[in-house]
Amino acid sequence: MPLLVMKFGGTSVADLARIKNAAKKVQREVERGYDVIVIVSAMSGETNRLVGYVEGTSKLYDAREYDAVVASGENVTAGLMALRLQEMGIPARSWQGWQVPIQTTAQHGSARFVDIPRANIDAKFAEGFKVAVVAGFQGLSPEGRITTLGRGGSDTTAVAFAAAFGAERCDIYTDVDGVYTTDPRVSSKARKLDKIAFEEMLELASLGAKVLQTRSVELAMRYKVRLRVLSSFEDTDETSGTLVCDEEEIMESKVVSGVAFSREEAKITLFTIEDRPGVASAIFGPLADAGVNVDMIVQNISEKDYDDAHPGAVTDMTFSCPINQVDRAKKAMEDAKAAGKIKYDELIIDTDVAKVSVVGIGMRSHTGVAARMFEALSKENVNIKVISTSEIKISVLIDRKYMELAVQALHDVFELDKA
Ligand code: ADP
Ligand code: ASP
Ligand code: MG
């Protein structure tokens, strides 16, 4: 029997009426002859509420208990979806992660898949069940504890199931009708893409476009899962939405295909550090040990002997990290300074920054993208604080208040509203 994976995000299962609406989409696929694995998120807002309970109880919480609490939102929607399907006469049952059992690493809060054994679910399909409703976002550690996969993790559950069960396609139903050139909530000129290459989607997701969790795109790319993003609120068919696929399947692509942004950034500068071999390692080693995800890095050119108190060459180091890791980063630097491993005069934290990025595989073969990007930002008087590039993306860190303006300007200059 051909099999489909259908994933419904939080807004698509936000109440009983929406669960019913989603169930109708499942029913249509069952009527077409598919066995279906449905992956559900928690009702919209529910995961945030649960995280709030944990943080309200314990500031430095035990991550295992965080996962036990936060994974529970998906259990509710999985049961409700199975009940709704049964009401419609479709043989269905729900599965919590441990019942499958979905095996993950023990990294609580950001666990990764290790294995999804098929036997239990396959046995139910063989008995005549048509739908397995699986709670997204959760799994089981080697110690037998409940784990979660990081925010947005149900996307990754969906792709992992599609890979494990050899699904014909993995359909991600959400509150937008596909992947756009930028977040349609920020730019009214955003244009829906019919297709996007895995690599571009991977960059967009990791640079802040939360329409898909980054890890889900990685898995889809590795296991060649046909991944589609489409609306749960509109009538859809096999041609709806956006297909995330191999580059070769896309006839012609633009130099820049999308603009992504992230508000959750912070910039940290260490002033007057020594400029000698080993200093970068003395700074970024402790940051890594403290679990800080450093993103962009700039080091100023060296100043020589600038005053009597600072003999030898000195410089400044700036880096960015997620805003919720600032306290950890600060402590790691202060501890390293106290232990005599690094020296600096001042540590300055700027939490009013945002990262804006342009992404496109066309950048591999076209020059001048950075120049156009910087010119467009300068015309809007947006000051660039930090820059980083890769083969297919350019990112800048700017004041957060200019983020929307910068996204619009870049969308315009690269003519992303035009096909
Ligand atoms: P779900 O609850 O279904 O998982 P999410 O809120 O996680 O949905 O992801 C969908 C949201 O992603 C959209 O509502 C949209 O605001 C946002 N988004 C950001 N960038 C993009 C983009 N390039 N294309 C489409 N949506 C985007
Ligand atoms: N409910 C989880 C979250 O809000 C997982 C998901 O929706 O993908 O992050
Ligand atoms: Mg999501």
Side-chain angles (χ1 to χ4, degrees):
M1 195 70 86
L3 184 138
L4 277 187
V5 171
M6 303 172 76
K7 179 254 171 178
F8 294 94
T11 41
S12 308
V13 292
D15 55 35
L16 296 185
R18 290 196 178 168
I19 291 176
K20 190 170 178 180
N21 169 63
K24 283 189 189 147
K25 291 198 175 281
V26 177
Q27 179 180 40
R28 207 189 48 198
E29 302 296 1
V30 170
E31 285 169 359
R32 284 193 181 139
Y34 288 104
D35 283 346
V36 182
I37 296 179
V38 175
I39 308 294
V40 285
S41 287
M43 290 180 178
S44 112
E46 185 61 14
T47 308
N48 286 343
R49 196 173 67 95
L50 296 168
V51 170
Y53 283 156
V54 172
E55 291 176 347
T57 306
S58 165
K59 229 175 153 28
L60 293 172
Y61 51 76
D62 173 349
R64 292 163 295 196
E65 301 307 344
Y66 168 98
D67 278 354
V69 174
V70 171
S72 67
E74 272 71 9
N75 297 344
V76 174
T77 40
L80 289 172
M81 176 65 82
L83 279 174
R84 171 49 62 195
L85 291 164
Q86 290 171 4
E87 287 296 310
M88 293 158 77
I90 299 168
R93 69 155 276 190
S94 68
W95 301 81
Q96 295 181 10
W98 64 272
Q99 294 171 309
V100 173
I102 300 172
Q103 291 162 18
T104 73
T105 60
Q107 277 166 287
H108 286 276
S110 57
R112 290 175 159 242
F113 287 104
V114 173
D115 190 26
I116 301 177
R118 291 179 49 157
N120 288 340
I121 289 179
D122 275 343
K124 288 291 164 191
F125 280 135
E127 271 177 37
F129 277 77
K130 297 305 296 174
V131 183
V133 186
V134 180
F137 180 52
Q138 53 172 263
L140 197 64
S141 76
E143 292 79 32
R145 303 293 305 258
I146 305 295
T147 54
T148 63
L149 308 172
R151 299 305 303 269
S154 298
D155 297 329
T156 305
T157 307
V159 173
F161 270 78
F165 284 81
E168 198 170 291
R169 218 176 44 236
C170 180
D171 286 342
I172 305 285
Y173 286 88
T174 183
D175 57 4
V176 282
D177 60 354
V179 177
Y180 279 69
T181 48
T182 193
D183 189 338
R185 289 179 214 287
V186 165
S187 172
S188 55
K189 289 189 188 166
R191 182 174 51 87
K192 199 192 92 189
L193 299 164
D194 291 332
K195 290 180 178 177
I196 185 164
F198 283 125
E199 283 186 59
E200 288 175 327
M201 191 64 239
L202 196 57
E203 288 280 10
L204 286 175
S206 72
L207 294 168
K210 68 171 182 163
V211 61
L212 287 173
Q213 198 195 34
T214 309
R215 188 86 187 107
S216 73
V217 187
E218 262 169 36
L219 283 185
M221 196 165 146
R222 167 142 24 114
Y223 293 103
K224 300 246 170 273
V225 171
R226 277 187 96 68
L227 179 62
R228 193 164 67 134
V229 176
L230 67 172
S231 167
S232 67
F233 302 135
E234 291 171 11
D235 280 338
T236 43
D237 59 30
E238 307 81 74
T239 62
S240 305
T242 301
L243 187 69
V244 189
C245 58
D246 280 328
E247 233 175 276
E248 292 74 40
E249 280 191 60
I250 300 172
M251 291 290 278
E252 185 133 33
S253 65
K254 303 185 110 184
V255 180
V256 168
S257 50
V259 181
F261 56 84
S262 161
R263 292 184 179 86
E264 285 100 45
E265 306 288 321
K267 176 169 78 76
I268 299 183
T269 303
L270 299 175
F271 284 101
T272 336
I273 59 168
E274 296 167 278
D275 193 10
R276 58 162 176 82
V279 167
S281 139
I283 293 172
F284 294 106
L287 288 169
D289 293 342
V292 176
N293 295 306
V294 172
D295 179 19
M296 305 159 110
I297 301 175
V298 274
Q299 183 179 323
N300 281 354
I301 56 163
S302 177
E303 292 176 45
K304 293 246 186 254
D305 289 344
Y306 80 102
D307 66 26
D308 289 344
H310 299 91
V314 292
T315 183
D316 305 324
M317 184 79 86
T318 297
F319 60 89
S320 71
C321 70
I323 200 163
N324 61 2
Q325 296 179 359
V326 160
D327 291 343
R328 254 190 278 172
K330 184 164 179 266
K331 185 168 184 309
M333 293 297 87
E334 287 170 351
D335 289 351
K337 186 180 182 185
K341 294 193 177 127
I342 56 171
K343 292 183 190 158
Y344 58 83
D345 278 357
E346 224 185 329
L347 181 151
I348 304 259
I349 295 172
D350 183 355
T351 51
D352 288 320
V353 291
K355 181 169 65 178
V356 177
S357 313
V358 298
V359 171
I361 39 185
M363 277 187 221
R364 284 193 201 125
S365 47
H366 286 77
T367 55
V369 177
R372 278 170 80 189
M373 177 176 188
F374 302 154
E375 193 192 346
L377 295 174
S378 93
K379 273 192 183 146
E380 299 294 340
N381 246 331
V382 176
N383 188 35
I384 299 170
K385 295 172 175 238
V386 186
I387 301 168
S388 76
T389 63
S390 78
E391 203 186 16
I392 66 161
K393 73 116 203 270
I394 303 166
S395 298
V396 293
L397 208 63
I398 59 172
D399 274 334
R400 189 169 312 131
K401 61 176 184 268
Y402 298 127
M403 193 195 80
E404 275 90 355
L405 179 69
V407 170
Q408 307 280 7
L410 296 174
H411 201 271
D412 284 345
V413 76
F414 292 107
E415 301 184 329
L416 298 185
D417 54 330
K418 302 193 183 95

Short mmCIF file of all heavy atoms in Angstrom, two decimals, residues 15-66:
data_model
loop_
_atom_site.label_atom_id
_atom_site.label_comp_id
_atom_site.label_asym_id
_atom_site.label_seq_id
_atom_site.Cartn_x
_atom_site.Cartn_y
_atom_site.Cartn_z
N ASP A 15 -7.93 23.99 17.58
CA ASP A 15 -9.17 23.70 18.32
C ASP A 15 -9.86 22.51 17.64
O ASP A 15 -9.37 21.97 16.63
CB ASP A 15 -10.08 24.93 18.38
CG ASP A 15 -10.39 25.49 17.00
OD1 ASP A 15 -10.52 24.69 16.04
OD2 ASP A 15 -10.49 26.72 16.86
N LEU A 16 -11.02 22.12 18.19
CA LEU A 16 -11.66 20.89 17.68
C LEU A 16 -12.10 21.05 16.23
O LEU A 16 -12.05 20.11 15.44
CB LEU A 16 -12.85 20.52 18.57
CG LEU A 16 -12.48 20.15 20.02
CD1 LEU A 16 -13.73 19.68 20.77
CD2 LEU A 16 -11.39 19.09 20.09
N ALA A 17 -12.54 22.28 15.87
CA ALA A 17 -12.99 22.50 14.48
C ALA A 17 -11.82 22.33 13.51
O ALA A 17 -11.96 21.76 12.43
CB ALA A 17 -13.58 23.90 14.35
N ARG A 18 -10.67 22.82 13.92
CA ARG A 18 -9.49 22.70 13.03
C ARG A 18 -8.99 21.26 12.96
O ARG A 18 -8.51 20.82 11.92
CB ARG A 18 -8.39 23.65 13.50
CG ARG A 18 -8.81 25.08 13.23
CD ARG A 18 -7.67 26.02 13.29
NE ARG A 18 -8.13 27.36 12.97
CZ ARG A 18 -7.43 28.46 13.16
NH1 ARG A 18 -6.21 28.37 13.66
NH2 ARG A 18 -7.91 29.63 12.83
N ILE A 19 -9.11 20.54 14.07
CA ILE A 19 -8.72 19.13 14.03
C ILE A 19 -9.65 18.39 13.07
O ILE A 19 -9.20 17.55 12.27
CB ILE A 19 -8.76 18.52 15.46
CG1 ILE A 19 -7.63 19.12 16.31
CG2 ILE A 19 -8.62 16.99 15.40
CD1 ILE A 19 -7.60 18.68 17.76
N LYS A 20 -10.91 18.76 13.09
CA LYS A 20 -11.89 18.14 12.18
C LYS A 20 -11.53 18.45 10.73
O LYS A 20 -11.53 17.57 9.86
CB LYS A 20 -13.28 18.68 12.51
CG LYS A 20 -14.42 17.98 11.83
CD LYS A 20 -15.71 18.46 12.45
CE LYS A 20 -16.91 17.83 11.79
NZ LYS A 20 -18.17 18.30 12.38
N ASN A 21 -11.17 19.70 10.50
CA ASN A 21 -10.76 20.13 9.16
C ASN A 21 -9.53 19.35 8.68
O ASN A 21 -9.47 18.86 7.55
CB ASN A 21 -10.48 21.63 9.21
CG ASN A 21 -9.81 22.14 7.96
OD1 ASN A 21 -10.38 22.08 6.88
ND2 ASN A 21 -8.57 22.62 8.09
N ALA A 22 -8.56 19.18 9.58
CA ALA A 22 -7.34 18.43 9.24
C ALA A 22 -7.70 16.96 8.97
O ALA A 22 -7.21 16.35 8.02
CB ALA A 22 -6.32 18.54 10.36
N ALA A 23 -8.59 16.42 9.79
CA ALA A 23 -8.99 15.01 9.63
C ALA A 23 -9.63 14.78 8.26
O ALA A 23 -9.46 13.72 7.65
CB ALA A 23 -9.94 14.61 10.76
N LYS A 24 -10.35 15.79 7.77
CA LYS A 24 -10.96 15.65 6.43
C LYS A 24 -9.90 15.54 5.35
O LYS A 24 -10.06 14.82 4.36
CB LYS A 24 -11.87 16.84 6.15
CG LYS A 24 -13.19 16.74 6.87
CD LYS A 24 -14.15 17.82 6.39
CE LYS A 24 -15.38 17.84 7.28
NZ LYS A 24 -15.94 19.19 7.42
N LYS A 25 -8.80 16.25 5.54
CA LYS A 25 -7.71 16.15 4.57
C LYS A 25 -7.09 14.75 4.62
O LYS A 25 -6.71 14.18 3.59
CB LYS A 25 -6.64 17.21 4.85
CG LYS A 25 -7.11 18.63 4.55
CD LYS A 25 -5.95 19.57 4.39
CE LYS A 25 -6.39 20.96 3.97
NZ LYS A 25 -6.70 21.06 2.53
N VAL A 26 -7.02 14.19 5.82
CA VAL A 26 -6.49 12.83 5.96
C VAL A 26 -7.46 11.84 5.28
O VAL A 26 -7.05 10.95 4.53
CB VAL A 26 -6.30 12.47 7.45
CG1 VAL A 26 -5.81 11.03 7.60
CG2 VAL A 26 -5.32 13.45 8.12
N GLN A 27 -8.74 12.05 5.54
CA GLN A 27 -9.77 11.16 4.97
C GLN A 27 -9.65 11.11 3.43
O GLN A 27 -9.73 10.04 2.83
CB GLN A 27 -11.16 11.68 5.35
CG GLN A 27 -12.31 10.87 4.78
CD GLN A 27 -13.65 11.46 5.19
OE1 GLN A 27 -13.84 12.68 5.21
NE2 GLN A 27 -14.59 10.58 5.54
N ARG A 28 -9.41 12.28 2.84
CA ARG A 28 -9.31 12.32 1.38
C ARG A 28 -8.16 11.46 0.86
O ARG A 28 -8.29 10.74 -0.13
CB ARG A 28 -9.12 13.78 0.93
CG ARG A 28 -9.62 14.05 -0.46
CD ARG A 28 -9.22 15.41 -0.91
NE ARG A 28 -7.79 15.62 -0.66
CZ ARG A 28 -7.20 16.79 -0.62
NH1 ARG A 28 -7.89 17.88 -0.81
NH2 ARG A 28 -5.90 16.90 -0.40
N GLU A 29 -7.05 11.48 1.57
CA GLU A 29 -5.90 10.66 1.15
C GLU A 29 -6.19 9.17 1.37
O GLU A 29 -5.77 8.33 0.56
CB GLU A 29 -4.62 11.08 1.87
CG GLU A 29 -4.23 12.54 1.68
CD GLU A 29 -3.87 12.91 0.24
OE1 GLU A 29 -3.93 12.04 -0.66
OE2 GLU A 29 -3.52 14.10 0.02
N VAL A 30 -6.89 8.85 2.45
CA VAL A 30 -7.25 7.45 2.70
C VAL A 30 -8.17 6.96 1.57
O VAL A 30 -7.99 5.85 1.03
CB VAL A 30 -7.93 7.28 4.08
CG1 VAL A 30 -8.52 5.89 4.24
CG2 VAL A 30 -6.92 7.58 5.20
N GLU A 31 -9.10 7.82 1.17
CA GLU A 31 -10.02 7.46 0.09
C GLU A 31 -9.28 7.27 -1.24
O GLU A 31 -9.73 6.52 -2.10
CB GLU A 31 -11.11 8.53 -0.05
CG GLU A 31 -12.13 8.42 1.07
CD GLU A 31 -13.08 9.60 1.16
OE1 GLU A 31 -12.95 10.55 0.35
OE2 GLU A 31 -13.95 9.58 2.05
N ARG A 32 -8.15 7.97 -1.38
CA ARG A 32 -7.34 7.80 -2.59
C ARG A 32 -6.53 6.52 -2.55
O ARG A 32 -5.81 6.22 -3.50
CB ARG A 32 -6.37 8.95 -2.74
CG ARG A 32 -7.02 10.21 -3.22
CD ARG A 32 -5.93 11.18 -3.62
NE ARG A 32 -6.53 12.40 -4.07
CZ ARG A 32 -6.09 13.61 -3.78
NH1 ARG A 32 -5.01 13.75 -3.04
NH2 ARG A 32 -6.70 14.67 -4.23
N GLY A 33 -6.55 5.81 -1.41
CA GLY A 33 -5.86 4.52 -1.35
C GLY A 33 -4.57 4.51 -0.57
O GLY A 33 -3.82 3.54 -0.61
N TYR A 34 -4.29 5.60 0.14
CA TYR A 34 -3.05 5.65 0.92
C TYR A 34 -3.26 5.16 2.35
O TYR A 34 -4.31 5.38 2.94
CB TYR A 34 -2.53 7.09 1.03
CG TYR A 34 -1.94 7.63 -0.25
CD1 TYR A 34 -2.65 8.53 -1.05
CD2 TYR A 34 -0.67 7.25 -0.66
CE1 TYR A 34 -2.10 9.04 -2.21
CE2 TYR A 34 -0.11 7.75 -1.83
CZ TYR A 34 -0.83 8.64 -2.60
OH TYR A 34 -0.29 9.15 -3.74
N ASP A 35 -2.22 4.49 2.90
CA ASP A 35 -2.07 4.42 4.34
C ASP A 35 -1.44 5.75 4.74
O ASP A 35 -0.61 6.28 3.99
CB ASP A 35 -1.12 3.28 4.74
CG ASP A 35 -1.79 1.91 4.65
OD1 ASP A 35 -3.03 1.88 4.55
OD2 ASP A 35 -1.07 0.89 4.69
N VAL A 36 -1.83 6.26 5.89
CA VAL A 36 -1.33 7.58 6.26
C VAL A 36 -0.73 7.57 7.67
O VAL A 36 -1.32 7.02 8.60
CB VAL A 36 -2.46 8.65 6.19
CG1 VAL A 36 -1.90 10.03 6.54
CG2 VAL A 36 -3.11 8.68 4.82
N ILE A 37 0.43 8.19 7.78
CA ILE A 37 0.97 8.49 9.11
C ILE A 37 0.78 9.98 9.31
O ILE A 37 1.26 10.80 8.52
CB ILE A 37 2.47 8.11 9.22
CG1 ILE A 37 2.62 6.59 9.06
CG2 ILE A 37 3.03 8.57 10.57
CD1 ILE A 37 4.05 6.08 9.12
N VAL A 38 0.00 10.32 10.33
CA VAL A 38 -0.27 11.73 10.62
C VAL A 38 0.61 12.14 11.79
O VAL A 38 0.63 11.46 12.83
CB VAL A 38 -1.75 11.95 10.99
CG1 VAL A 38 -1.99 13.40 11.41
CG2 VAL A 38 -2.66 11.58 9.84
N ILE A 39 1.36 13.22 11.62
CA ILE A 39 2.17 13.76 12.72
C ILE A 39 1.50 15.05 13.18
O ILE A 39 1.21 15.93 12.37
CB ILE A 39 3.61 14.09 12.25
CG1 ILE A 39 4.26 12.90 11.52
CG2 ILE A 39 4.47 14.57 13.43
CD1 ILE A 39 4.53 11.68 12.35
N VAL A 40 1.24 15.14 14.47
CA VAL A 40 0.60 16.36 14.98
C VAL A 40 1.50 17.11 15.94
O VAL A 40 2.25 16.54 16.72
CB VAL A 40 -0.74 16.07 15.69
CG1 VAL A 40 -1.84 15.76 14.68
CG2 VAL A 40 -0.60 14.98 16.73
N SER A 41 1.36 18.47 15.87
CA SER A 41 1.95 19.36 16.88
C SER A 41 0.94 19.52 18.00
O SER A 41 -0.21 19.10 17.89
CB SER A 41 2.17 20.75 16.29
OG SER A 41 3.24 20.76 15.39
N ALA A 42 1.37 20.21 19.06
CA ALA A 42 0.44 20.61 20.11
C ALA A 42 -0.44 21.73 19.58
O ALA A 42 -0.09 22.41 18.62
CB ALA A 42 1.23 21.10 21.31
N MET A 43 -1.61 21.93 20.20
CA MET A 43 -2.46 23.06 19.81
C MET A 43 -1.66 24.35 19.93
O MET A 43 -0.84 24.49 20.84
CB MET A 43 -3.66 23.15 20.75
CG MET A 43 -4.67 22.02 20.56
SD MET A 43 -6.02 22.25 21.72
CE MET A 43 -7.07 20.86 21.27
N SER A 44 -1.93 25.29 19.04
CA SER A 44 -1.10 26.50 19.00
C SER A 44 -1.09 27.22 20.35
O SER A 44 -2.13 27.34 21.01
CB SER A 44 -1.59 27.39 17.86
OG SER A 44 -2.15 28.54 18.30
N GLY A 45 0.06 27.64 20.79
CA GLY A 45 0.21 28.32 22.08
C GLY A 45 0.45 27.36 23.24
O GLY A 45 0.92 27.76 24.31
N GLU A 46 0.13 26.07 23.03
CA GLU A 46 0.19 25.11 24.13
C GLU A 46 1.64 24.86 24.59
O GLU A 46 1.92 24.82 25.79
CB GLU A 46 -0.46 23.79 23.67
CG GLU A 46 -0.59 22.73 24.73
CD GLU A 46 -1.43 23.15 25.93
OE1 GLU A 46 -2.15 24.16 25.83
OE2 GLU A 46 -1.35 22.49 26.96
N THR A 47 2.54 24.70 23.63
CA THR A 47 3.94 24.42 24.02
C THR A 47 4.52 25.60 24.80
O THR A 47 5.19 25.41 25.82
CB THR A 47 4.79 24.08 22.78
OG1 THR A 47 4.11 23.05 22.06
CG2 THR A 47 6.17 23.57 23.17
N ASN A 48 4.19 26.83 24.36
CA ASN A 48 4.67 28.01 25.10
C ASN A 48 4.11 28.02 26.52
O ASN A 48 4.82 28.36 27.47
CB ASN A 48 4.24 29.30 24.40
CG ASN A 48 5.04 29.55 23.15
OD1 ASN A 48 6.10 28.96 22.95
ND2 ASN A 48 4.54 30.41 22.28
N ARG A 49 2.85 27.63 26.66
CA ARG A 49 2.22 27.61 27.98
C ARG A 49 2.95 26.60 28.88
O ARG A 49 3.27 26.89 30.03
CB ARG A 49 0.74 27.20 27.83
CG ARG A 49 -0.12 27.49 29.04
CD ARG A 49 -1.58 27.21 28.70
NE ARG A 49 -1.82 25.79 28.47
CZ ARG A 49 -2.25 24.95 29.40
NH1 ARG A 49 -2.49 25.39 30.62
NH2 ARG A 49 -2.45 23.68 29.12
N LEU A 50 3.27 25.43 28.32
CA LEU A 50 3.95 24.39 29.10
C LEU A 50 5.36 24.83 29.49
O LEU A 50 5.81 24.62 30.62
CB LEU A 50 3.98 23.08 28.31
CG LEU A 50 2.59 22.46 28.04
CD1 LEU A 50 2.69 21.32 27.02
CD2 LEU A 50 1.97 21.94 29.33
N VAL A 51 6.06 25.47 28.54
CA VAL A 51 7.40 25.97 28.84
C VAL A 51 7.31 26.99 29.98
O VAL A 51 8.12 27.00 30.91
CB VAL A 51 8.05 26.62 27.58
CG1 VAL A 51 9.34 27.35 27.94
CG2 VAL A 51 8.33 25.56 26.52
N GLY A 52 6.27 27.83 29.94
CA GLY A 52 6.05 28.82 31.00
C GLY A 52 5.87 28.16 32.36
O GLY A 52 6.40 28.63 33.36
N TYR A 53 5.14 27.06 32.40
CA TYR A 53 4.95 26.32 33.67
C TYR A 53 6.29 25.86 34.21
O TYR A 53 6.56 25.96 35.41
CB TYR A 53 4.08 25.08 33.45
CG TYR A 53 2.59 25.35 33.33
CD1 TYR A 53 1.76 24.45 32.67
CD2 TYR A 53 2.01 26.49 33.91
CE1 TYR A 53 0.40 24.67 32.56
CE2 TYR A 53 0.65 26.71 33.80
CZ TYR A 53 -0.15 25.81 33.12
OH TYR A 53 -1.48 26.02 33.01
N VAL A 54 7.12 25.31 33.32
CA VAL A 54 8.42 24.79 33.76
C VAL A 54 9.27 25.94 34.30
O VAL A 54 9.80 25.87 35.42
CB VAL A 54 9.15 24.09 32.59
CG1 VAL A 54 10.58 23.73 32.98
CG2 VAL A 54 8.39 22.84 32.16
N GLU A 55 9.36 27.03 33.52
CA GLU A 55 10.22 28.15 33.94
C GLU A 55 9.68 28.83 35.20
O GLU A 55 10.45 29.35 36.00
CB GLU A 55 10.37 29.14 32.78
CG GLU A 55 11.21 28.52 31.66
CD GLU A 55 11.32 29.40 30.42
OE1 GLU A 55 10.57 30.40 30.31
OE2 GLU A 55 12.15 29.08 29.56
N GLY A 56 8.35 28.78 35.36
CA GLY A 56 7.74 29.36 36.56
C GLY A 56 8.00 28.52 37.80
O GLY A 56 7.84 28.98 38.93
N THR A 57 8.36 27.26 37.59
CA THR A 57 8.59 26.36 38.73
C THR A 57 10.07 26.31 39.10
O THR A 57 10.43 26.27 40.27
CB THR A 57 8.13 24.92 38.38
OG1 THR A 57 6.77 25.00 37.94
CG2 THR A 57 8.22 24.00 39.58
N SER A 58 10.92 26.29 38.06
CA SER A 58 12.33 26.07 38.32
C SER A 58 13.16 26.81 37.28
O SER A 58 13.03 26.54 36.08
CB SER A 58 12.60 24.55 38.23
OG SER A 58 13.96 24.30 38.14
N LYS A 59 13.97 27.76 37.74
CA LYS A 59 14.73 28.58 36.79
C LYS A 59 15.82 27.76 36.09
O LYS A 59 15.95 27.79 34.87
CB LYS A 59 15.36 29.77 37.53
CG LYS A 59 15.09 31.08 36.81
CD LYS A 59 15.60 32.27 37.57
CE LYS A 59 15.95 33.45 36.70
NZ LYS A 59 15.25 33.58 35.47
N LEU A 60 16.57 27.00 36.90
CA LEU A 60 17.61 26.14 36.31
C LEU A 60 17.08 24.72 36.26
O LEU A 60 17.57 23.82 36.92
CB LEU A 60 18.89 26.21 37.14
CG LEU A 60 19.62 27.54 37.15
CD1 LEU A 60 20.74 27.55 38.16
CD2 LEU A 60 20.16 27.88 35.76
N TYR A 61 16.04 24.53 35.44
CA TYR A 61 15.30 23.27 35.48
C TYR A 61 16.09 22.05 35.01
O TYR A 61 17.04 22.17 34.24
CB TYR A 61 14.02 23.40 34.65
CG TYR A 61 14.25 23.93 33.26
CD1 TYR A 61 14.78 23.12 32.26
CD2 TYR A 61 13.93 25.24 32.93
CE1 TYR A 61 15.00 23.60 30.99
CE2 TYR A 61 14.15 25.74 31.66
CZ TYR A 61 14.69 24.91 30.70
OH TYR A 61 14.91 25.39 29.45
N ASP A 62 15.66 20.90 35.49
CA ASP A 62 16.16 19.60 35.04
C ASP A 62 15.57 19.36 33.64
O ASP A 62 14.35 19.27 33.48
CB ASP A 62 15.69 18.54 36.05
CG ASP A 62 16.00 17.11 35.63
OD1 ASP A 62 16.39 16.89 34.47
OD2 ASP A 62 15.82 16.22 36.49
N ALA A 63 16.44 19.27 32.64
CA ALA A 63 15.98 19.19 31.25
C ALA A 63 15.11 17.95 31.00
O ALA A 63 14.25 17.95 30.12
CB ALA A 63 17.17 19.20 30.30
N ARG A 64 15.30 16.90 31.81
CA ARG A 64 14.48 15.69 31.62
C ARG A 64 13.03 15.96 32.01
O ARG A 64 12.10 15.50 31.37
CB ARG A 64 15.05 14.53 32.45
CG ARG A 64 16.40 14.06 31.93
CD ARG A 64 17.11 13.24 32.94
NE ARG A 64 17.45 14.05 34.12
CZ ARG A 64 18.33 13.70 35.04
NH1 ARG A 64 18.97 12.57 34.94
NH2 ARG A 64 18.58 14.50 36.06
N GLU A 65 12.87 16.77 33.07
CA GLU A 65 11.50 17.09 33.50
C GLU A 65 10.87 18.14 32.56
O GLU A 65 9.67 18.10 32.31
CB GLU A 65 11.47 17.55 34.96
CG GLU A 65 12.01 16.53 35.96
CD GLU A 65 11.37 15.14 35.86
OE1 GLU A 65 10.30 15.01 35.23
OE2 GLU A 65 11.96 14.19 36.40
N TYR A 66 11.72 19.04 32.06
CA TYR A 66 11.24 19.99 31.03
C TYR A 66 10.61 19.19 29.89
O TYR A 66 9.48 19.44 29.48
CB TYR A 66 12.41 20.83 30.52
CG TYR A 66 12.15 21.64 29.26
CD1 TYR A 66 11.83 23.00 29.32
CD2 TYR A 66 12.27 21.06 27.99
CE1 TYR A 66 11.61 23.75 28.17
CE2 TYR A 66 12.05 21.79 26.83
CZ TYR A 66 11.72 23.14 26.93
OH TYR A 66 11.49 23.85 25.78
#
